[in-house]
Amino acid sequence: MSLAHGRSYLAIPGPSVMPERVLAAMHRSAPNIYEGDLVDLTGQVVADLRRVALSTSHVAIYICNGHGTWEASIANIFSRGDKVLSLQTGRFGQGWAAQAEAMGVTVEALDFGLTTPVDPNRVEAALRADTGHDIKAVFLTHVDTATSIRNDVAAVRAAMDAAGHPALLAVDCIASLACDAFRFDDWGVDVMIAASQKGLMVPPGLGFVWVSDKALAVSRSADLRTPYWDWAPRIAPDFYYQHFCGTAPTHHLFGMAESLKMILDEEGLPHVWARHQALARAVAAAFEAWGQGGDLALNVADPAFRAGSVTAARIGQGGAERLRRWCEAEAGVTLGIGLGMAAMGSAEADDFLRVAHMGHVNAHMTLGVLAVMEAGLQALNIPHGAGGIQAAAAVVAAGA
């Protein structure tokens, strides 16, 4: 008998759980898109986007998903034939590089595998070897959504500075913004991208790009820019419509204003970061207990490099896919599929899953997901160690 009837729960790494307040803010009639309240609201959203990134930089808003912000960053930084140094720790770092290559950019890739973070020493060595300064930018994924590896942005910036290289530092924060600590100004970032549907708790549809003065100056000579992706008029529009190259994403802006208020003015950014870290530790504790008696393991061994937003894990012999299907069909909980951890269609691809704990998520939601997973392990006779829920509860108790 299925126990899935009732409110379902989506524990995938985006779209994340959205607050009822955000959805309610969006549930209204269309506003005047030429003047008045919407114009003022947009100004507040832009100011708050700077605050959530701890940035004094410029901000461009696009009607797109995260892949769109990849294209926006590429189009504004590069001319055809320019080179990027891509630091890869999973599918999404690889994807950003592939998109750049498809647009005519030469890619030099440093692949650090699927279980370990970027090594700043290798970054420094690669940049020192580029004596002609052909590398125009360094691409870094703060949190790769596929592997749940969290990279050290400040350490990469330090490696670039040690090499004395003038390249821009561009960081993908789609899976980390408003989940893991990020400091645009303090860490010397030049370009940062994010999207509405993860830590920012708004439906998919908005992409954001933060741009330093240095990156803005570089973009003026980029020949890949097109009218839609050009960030200059979005950053400093003469007319309101230029913020969006046309009609404003009206209802997404209402949602963003509400979510940013919740993050910045009510809970507070430091507490948001701490909450995500505590929930991530609870998930890790459960997996570590389960792994004592079976073929289960976290993807990232070192806690210092685990994301606060999502946890990737392995359950051997196809156990991950079996568990994922059981949780959805029998208990109404949808877990994230494994991405890029094994060849698509192979038997090994069924060994990986992801548990999201990003956005509008609290202790009872995460503990509920873990309890369902433990029930599934039992129902499917997947060997596992005892005490997973107790271990997770202990983390929550300590965090509270």
Side-chain angles (χ1 to χ4, degrees):
M1 179 186 69
S2 172
L3 299 177
H5 300 283
R7 176 170 290 190
S8 61
Y9 183 76
L10 202 62
I12 66 173
S16 68
V17 178
M18 289 169 279
E20 294 296 331
R21 283 175 54 184
V22 168
L23 298 175
M26 299 175 71
H27 190 70
R28 53 167 292 173
S29 58
N32 185 342
I33 61 169
Y34 304 110
E35 61 185 1
D37 293 344
L38 186 66
V39 174
D40 296 336
L41 181 79
T42 301
Q44 185 60 55
V45 167
V46 170
D48 285 346
L49 287 169
R50 291 192 185 96
R51 291 172 62 199
V52 82
L54 296 181
S55 168
T56 55
S57 65
H58 312 282
V59 179
I61 303 175
Y62 294 86
I63 304 173
C64 68
N65 57 18
H67 288 66
T69 63
W70 283 350
E71 186 149 333
S73 65
I74 296 161
N76 283 282
I77 293 173
F78 299 107
S79 294
R80 188 171 296 276
D82 284 345
K83 179 183 282 190
V84 63
L85 179 63
S86 169
L87 312 181
Q88 300 177 3
T89 54
R91 180 178 177 131
F92 288 86
Q94 295 162 2
W96 197 6
Q99 198 154 327
E101 192 167 42
M103 293 174 68
V105 178
T106 300
V107 174
E108 179 180 338
L110 289 181
D111 193 332
F112 299 88
L114 302 176
T115 60
T116 55
V118 166
D119 178 355
N121 292 323
R122 287 180 60 190
V123 178
E124 182 179 343
L127 292 173
R128 286 187 182 278
D130 181 33
T131 54
H133 292 168
D134 293 326
I135 295 170
K136 196 165 186 180
V138 174
F139 279 0
L140 173 67
T141 309
H142 188 201
V143 166
D144 195 290
T145 325
T147 60
S148 70
I149 294 169
R150 183 180 66 215
N151 288 301
D152 188 336
V153 179
V156 170
R157 175 78 262 177
M160 295 174 67
D161 291 345
H165 201 286
L168 300 172
L169 175 57
V171 183
D172 177 342
C173 287
I174 293 168
S176 64
L177 187 66
C179 300
D180 286 291
F182 182 82
R183 303 176 184 277
F184 187 103
D185 288 355
D186 290 350
W187 292 350
V189 177
D190 293 298
V191 176
M192 187 267 275
I193 62 175
S196 57
Q197 72 269 24
K198 296 185 186 287
L200 294 177
M201 310 184 297
V202 172
L206 289 187
F208 310 104
V209 184
W210 289 253
V211 183
S212 72
D213 287 337
K214 179 181 176 182
L216 187 60
V218 166
S219 71
R220 295 189 181 105
S221 61
D223 71 13
L224 289 179
R225 283 182 302 155
T226 58
Y228 186 81
W229 295 114
D230 187 359
W231 61 34
R234 295 172 183 267
I235 286 170
D238 292 321
F239 304 98
Y240 177 72
Y241 78 89
Q242 291 176 310
H243 271 299
F244 312 105
C245 196
T247 303
T250 53
H251 291 67
H252 277 75
L253 292 170
F254 294 133
M256 279 305 310
E258 192 69 18
S259 71
L260 289 166
K261 178 182 177 181
M262 294 173 69
I263 291 166
L264 296 168
D265 300 326
E266 295 178 8
E267 185 174 5
L269 199 52
H271 192 280
V272 169
W273 295 338
R275 171 169 54 84
H276 281 86
Q277 285 300 310
L279 296 177
R281 289 195 303 272
V283 174
F287 268 100
E288 286 165 349
W290 293 333
Q292 297 304 307
D295 188 12
L296 297 87
L298 294 162
N299 188 56
V300 182
D302 188 341
F305 298 104
R306 293 175 186 161
S309 55
V310 59
T311 297
R314 177 184 177 277
I315 306 176
Q317 304 300 311
E321 181 61 12
R322 290 170 59 210
L323 178 62
R324 199 183 67 80
R325 291 187 180 278
W326 186 94
C327 289
E328 184 168 11
E330 304 300 331
V333 171
T334 303
L335 302 173
I337 62 173
L339 281 179
M341 302 302 294
M344 190 176 296
S346 68
E348 291 77 13
D350 288 344
D351 291 349
F352 300 94
L353 56 71
R354 294 171 296 159
V355 182
H357 30 85
M358 60 170 62
H360 191 57
V361 179
N362 60 23
H364 85 76
M365 299 158 99
T366 298
L367 289 175
V369 169
L370 295 172
V372 163
M373 292 176 70
E374 187 164 296
L377 293 171
Q378 294 175 20
L380 296 169
N381 294 314
I382 296 174
H384 62 283
I389 301 306
Q390 291 90 333
V395 172
V396 169

